[in-house]
């Protein structure tokens, strides 16, 4: 199938793969920086953004098949790639298969949770998405205000008040209107387990980046990712939640360019001792969690009343 995508910049091609609920616009905070050195190709995966859904099941496996076919059709096999969240797991899967991608950067990949982490991931993201859908009429106002933006993105960002309002609104719109979201979320949590790649089986550069304050894919999952992908190098983002391209855009840009350059790099050069971001008052974060809980109770009551 054909996918919607955008191309910017010149140079060696670089593929960007968004996370669940996102679109190519999920990369808008770093797109221009990457395009200064690379020809950036950012796709809308099937069932997200402006690409229609797959006709069959929506899983990591079927999305990997569709993306491989897209790359083959556009003569892009072997392209360097960066993925975020679900897209980060997707580029790991393609790296594992071999012959599809070149150098790979995987930012906070999903799929490495265990035990209690699985239902926590599923129900917390499901609840957040239901809230986002219910609040769509007020979303321009909510994303345009730093305090309410913090409440909306507290689960996903270490300092959500600094996410650009336009990027926040685009993400909330995409989450609410993605027809493949619910099926893929369930399959990510309870479907196929991510397979690994034996040491020495991935010839290209493979870097896994992780935010130290990630509340979606918690940092304790990083060693599990490395255990399944022992050829990978782990890079830590300080003062960063689930999306480095939002919380540390300049650092994320440097990491992607360095990791796909074909040259050795030092973590300290990429990090450049990034200063700690200003903190939002803890009361706002507490209020964000309380708002999610209250919204969940409200949605549950509405559902119960509808049944009654």
């Amino acid at each position: 199938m054909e996918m919607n995508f955008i191309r910017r910049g010149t140079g060696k091609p670089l593929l960007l793969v968004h996370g669940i609920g996102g679109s190519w616009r999920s990369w808008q905070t770093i797109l221009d920086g990457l395009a200064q050195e690379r020809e950036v190709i950012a796709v809308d995966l099937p069932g997200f953004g402006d690409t229609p859904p797959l006709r069959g099941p929506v899983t990591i496996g079927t999305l990997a098949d569709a993306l491989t076919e897209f790359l083959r059709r556009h003569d892009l096999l072997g392209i360097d790639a960066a993925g975020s969240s679900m897209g980060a797991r997707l580029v790991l899967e393609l790296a594992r298969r071999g012959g599809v991608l070149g150098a790979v950067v995987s930012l906070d990949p999903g799929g490495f949770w265990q035990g209690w982490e699985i239902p926590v991931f599923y129900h917390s993201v499901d609840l957040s998405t239901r809230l986002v859908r219910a609040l769509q009429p007020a979303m321009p106002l909510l994303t345009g205000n730093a305090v309410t933006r913090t409440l909306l993105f507290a689960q996903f960002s270490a300092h959500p008040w600094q996410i650009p309002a336009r990027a926040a609104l685009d993400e909330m719109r995409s989450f609410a209107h993605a027809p493949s979201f619910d099926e893929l979320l369930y399959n990510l949590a309870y479907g196929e387990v991510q397979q690994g790649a034996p040491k020495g089986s991935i010839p290209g550069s493979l870097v896994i980046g992780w935010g130290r304050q990630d509340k979606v894919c918690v940092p304790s999952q990083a060693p599990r990712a490395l255990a399944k992908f022992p050829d990978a190098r782990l890079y830590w983002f300080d003062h960063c939640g689930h999306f480095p391209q939002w919380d540390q855009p300049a650092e994320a840009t440097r990491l992607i360019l360095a990791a796909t350059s074909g040259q050795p790099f030092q973590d300290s050069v990429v990090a450049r001792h990034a200063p700690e971001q200003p903190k939002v008052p803890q009361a706002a974060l507490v209020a964000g969690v309380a708002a999610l809980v209250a919204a969940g109770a409200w949605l549950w009551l509405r559902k119960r009343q509808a049944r009654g």
Side-chain angles (χ1 to χ4, degrees), residues 10-299:
T10 58
K12 187 180 179 183
L14 172 67
L15 176 70
L16 300 181
V17 185
H18 62 78
I20 185 171
S23 70
W24 71 262
R25 291 180 174 83
S26 301
W27 298 99
Q28 63 186 280
T29 51
I30 65 173
L31 199 56
D32 290 340
L34 293 172
Q36 290 179 12
E37 298 189 26
R38 305 290 293 268
E39 180 189 21
V40 179
I41 300 168
V43 299
D44 287 346
L45 292 170
F48 300 93
D50 292 324
T51 298
L54 296 172
R55 294 184 178 180
V58 184
T59 68
I60 286 294
T62 58
L63 289 176
D65 292 341
L67 189 51
T68 299
E69 179 56 32
F70 167 84
L71 295 176
R72 182 178 292 111
R73 181 176 300 179
H74 290 273
D75 196 25
L76 291 170
L77 288 176
I79 189 174
D80 297 338
S84 170
S85 189
M86 178 276 295
R89 179 178 173 183
L90 187 52
V91 296
L92 286 177
E93 170 61 18
L94 292 176
R96 183 192 69 81
R97 294 183 178 192
V100 182
L101 301 178
V104 170
V105 179
S106 174
L107 301 176
D108 294 78
F112 299 99
W113 34 70
Q114 294 179 356
W116 62 267
E117 297 168 351
I118 297 173
V120 168
F121 159 75
Y122 175 76
H123 291 291
S124 63
V125 176
D126 179 63
L127 173 59
S128 297
T129 305
R130 291 176 184 272
L131 177 62
V132 165
R133 289 169 178 163
L135 293 175
Q136 280 301 299
M139 200 55 67
L141 177 63
L142 295 174
T143 54
N145 180 276
V147 174
T148 48
R149 192 161 63 245
T150 296
L151 303 182
L152 286 171
F153 287 88
Q155 182 182 6
F156 301 99
S157 171
H159 36 88
W161 59 95
Q162 292 188 342
I163 300 173
R166 179 73 253 177
L169 179 59
D170 286 344
E171 199 72 9
M172 292 294 95
R173 291 293 197 219
S174 180
F175 262 72
H177 299 107
S180 294
F181 185 97
D182 293 334
E183 181 181 356
L184 182 57
L185 178 64
Y186 184 85
N187 285 331
L188 284 174
Y190 299 107
E192 57 192 330
V193 175
Q194 178 61 53
Q195 300 180 51
K199 188 172 180 60
S201 64
I202 298 179
S205 171
L206 176 58
V207 176
I208 297 176
W210 221 290
R212 291 192 185 275
Q213 286 74 44
D214 192 338
K215 300 182 185 70
V216 179
C217 298
V218 294
S220 61
Q221 295 170 12
R224 301 173 197 160
L226 289 181
K228 288 196 173 185
F229 290 88
D231 288 327
R233 169 179 178 176
L234 180 62
Y235 179 89
W236 288 106
F237 288 92
D238 291 327
H239 320 300
C240 183
H242 188 59
F243 294 103
Q245 68 268 33
W246 295 351
D247 286 352
Q248 298 291 359
E251 188 177 351
T253 300
R254 291 194 296 269
L255 177 65
I256 293 171
L257 292 176
T260 60
S261 68
Q263 301 297 321
F265 69 93
Q266 295 181 344
D267 289 5
S268 59
V269 174
V270 172
R272 292 186 184 174
H273 304 289
E276 184 175 356
Q277 299 292 334
K279 296 182 181 297
V280 73
Q282 287 298 312
L285 294 179
V286 172
V289 175
L292 287 176
V293 172
W298 175 67
L299 290 170

